[in-house]
Amino acid sequence: MNVKLWTIISLLFMSLFVFNSCSEKDDNFSIWIGGSPEEVDFWEKVINDFNAKYDCNLILVRQPTYTDQRKQSLIISLEGKQQNPDLFLMDVVWINQFIQSDWLEPLDDFAVKSKFKTEPFFKRVLNLVDKYDDNLFALPVFMDVALLYYRTDLIVQPPETWEQLKELSLRIQEEQRKTNKSFDGFVWQGAQYEGLVCSFLEFIASNGGSILQNDSVKINSKENIAALQFMQDLIHKYKVSPENTYTEMKEEEVRREFQKGNALFERNWTYAWQLHNSNDSNVKGKVGMTILPHFKGHNSVSTLGGWHIGMSKYSDNKEKAWQFIKYVTSYEVQKQMVLTIGWNPGRKDVYEDKELKKKLSQLNLLEYVFDNTIARPTVPYYTQISEVIQRNVNNCLANKIPPVEALKEIEIEMKNIIKIYGEK
Ligand code: GLC
């Protein structure tokens, strides 16, 4: 065989090896993902494309819609050291616990071997969430921020303050209820689950409040009391948010209510935008999107949410799993994601894409929101803290306890948790 032919054959062989890692083994491997049905449908497509491109057999296992249940099912599998799932998406608030529980495979060696660069990602997010002790354990797939959706056919100018939101809600709700008894001013996430923690943080932070001050717990403050009082009043005093806010309202319940045409304002994550403007939406073409309101004299704030991909320590298919991580965080797939489902890419460089900037006017809005986010504490015992906030804030929304009692209780319980789980 002459040298030239031999070189061509070797190159062909090498390219097969590099681009087709799945051909090494025929086994299936799996990824667990939940979310709204439309979101999971989108994942199905991403995974089919990946399988076709790389001749792989990655199986999508559908998880429940909400973050708390998704975490529960994953923990059962990981605690049992099961090989299934190989891959999963993690809510930004679980990652620290997953790392500390030693459930995640570090990605550094895979990255080095395949010359994968982390520079295009948001450095602050990687350092805060995905890295630990200088090792990389996860990568952001999409970043969530909360926005205010409103009906452009019912109001001209969206509110800047919570007070204005209340006033507009009262006025438009009264008019609309003449023909639609189910109409409410403002729908938001108030049920007892993780989403309530996000709403609560936004209300208090947009009044200058917080849960930690100089690293120590400070919850029972006048800013927090006023903000929580306002949340309770939206339901019970002004009655612009429905009674089921504290029993049922989670992302999908809120989105569906607004999408049916039954609300003037909605607090939701970015995913709702495309769905509100889909063909089967009653509010298609009548929706505006802007930053959340703030209390007078303060700034609008959004909780930082989002979903990151990680690989199980117990996976038997780590090379293939890495192939998918690379695929899903690639520029092309991330761009596709924002175009088809409206998620904010986990990569920073995609936000600079000229075509996207032209097509998606909201990218400018998002830039502001990203600069004004509040992160939930990145500690392994976050679940315990979240549970305390969820339970007490929800009790207050149900009118069982006044704001000051709820906040006092959160402060006491949070301090205990920190004592038990050993904060430095
Ligand atoms: C969204 C966010 C996530 C948050 C959850 C709360 O999925 O991305 O970070 O915890 O909503 O319901």
Side-chain angles (χ1 to χ4, degrees), residues 66-123:
Y66 296 111
T67 176
D68 311 64
Q69 289 110 315
R70 285 170 75 171
K71 182 174 175 199
Q72 211 48 43
S73 58
L74 269 174
I75 287 186
I76 292 169
S77 174
L78 290 165
E79 271 185 342
K81 300 188 175 18
Q82 289 174 12
Q83 286 153 5
N84 186 3
D86 297 279
L87 287 161
F88 36 81
L89 284 196
M90 293 171 283
D91 189 339
V92 62
V93 281
W94 314 339
I95 301 176
N96 196 278
Q97 182 195 351
F98 278 37
I99 295 173
Q100 308 259 359
S101 307
D102 208 11
W103 291 332
L104 298 180
E105 180 70 21
L107 303 176
D108 309 81
D109 287 349
F110 298 98
V112 170
K113 258 201 286 178
S114 60
K115 298 197 169 59
F116 179 87
K117 298 261 172 295
T118 51
E119 281 73 25
F121 293 83
F122 291 93
K123 200 169 172 196

Side-chain angles (χ1 to χ4, degrees), residues 324-416:
F324 184 72
I325 295 182
K326 265 194 324 183
Y327 179 75
V328 90
T329 56
S330 67
Y331 191 96
E332 295 69 32
V333 175
Q334 291 268 305
K335 182 171 169 184
Q336 208 46 36
M337 212 167 251
V338 64
L339 282 171
T340 45
I341 192 113
W343 292 335
N344 304 319
R347 288 175 71 113
K348 201 174 170 200
D349 53 356
V350 180
Y351 292 81
E352 298 304 322
D353 189 280
K354 288 208 179 75
E355 187 197 353
L356 287 185
K357 277 194 157 172
K358 230 190 271 161
K359 271 197 180 151
L360 306 170
S361 50
Q362 69 261 37
L363 285 186
N364 288 335
L365 170 73
L366 291 176
E367 221 173 295
Y368 174 88
V369 185
F370 274 134
D371 282 341
N372 289 278
T373 54
I374 174 170
R376 286 160 283 174
T378 39
V379 286
Y381 48 88
Y382 175 73
T383 311
Q384 283 85 339
I385 291 182
S386 169
E387 191 279 327
V388 166
I389 298 177
Q390 290 176 28
R391 176 165 34 82
N392 286 293
V393 173
N394 188 263
N395 267 341
C396 175
L397 297 184
N399 226 353
K400 290 187 192 149
I401 45 172
V404 74
E405 287 301 315
L407 295 169
K408 259 192 209 157
E409 190 55 36
I410 297 175
E411 190 163 313
I412 294 170
E413 291 193 43
M414 236 174 102
K415 280 185 174 158
N416 273 338

Side-chain angles (χ1 to χ4, degrees), residues 9 24 55 86 111 120 143 185 206 341 380:
I9 292 174
E24 288 165 53
D55 198 14
D86 297 279
M143 318 247 280
S206 63
I341 192 113

Side-chain angles (χ1 to χ4, degrees), residues 35 39 65-68 70 90-94 142-145 189 193-199 250-251 267-269 271 303-307 376 382:
E39 289 181 292
T65 304
Y66 296 111
T67 176
D68 311 64
R70 285 170 75 171
M90 293 171 283
D91 189 339
V92 62
V93 281
W94 314 339
F142 65 94
M143 318 247 280
D144 258 340
V145 282
Q189 293 76 11
Y193 81 119
E194 181 59 29
L196 175 57
V197 180
C198 301
S199 310
K250 306 204 267 300
E251 281 83 13
R267 180 247 178 235
N268 218 330
W269 307 99
Y271 85 102
T303 302
L304 180 65
W307 291 80
R376 286 160 283 174
Y382 175 73

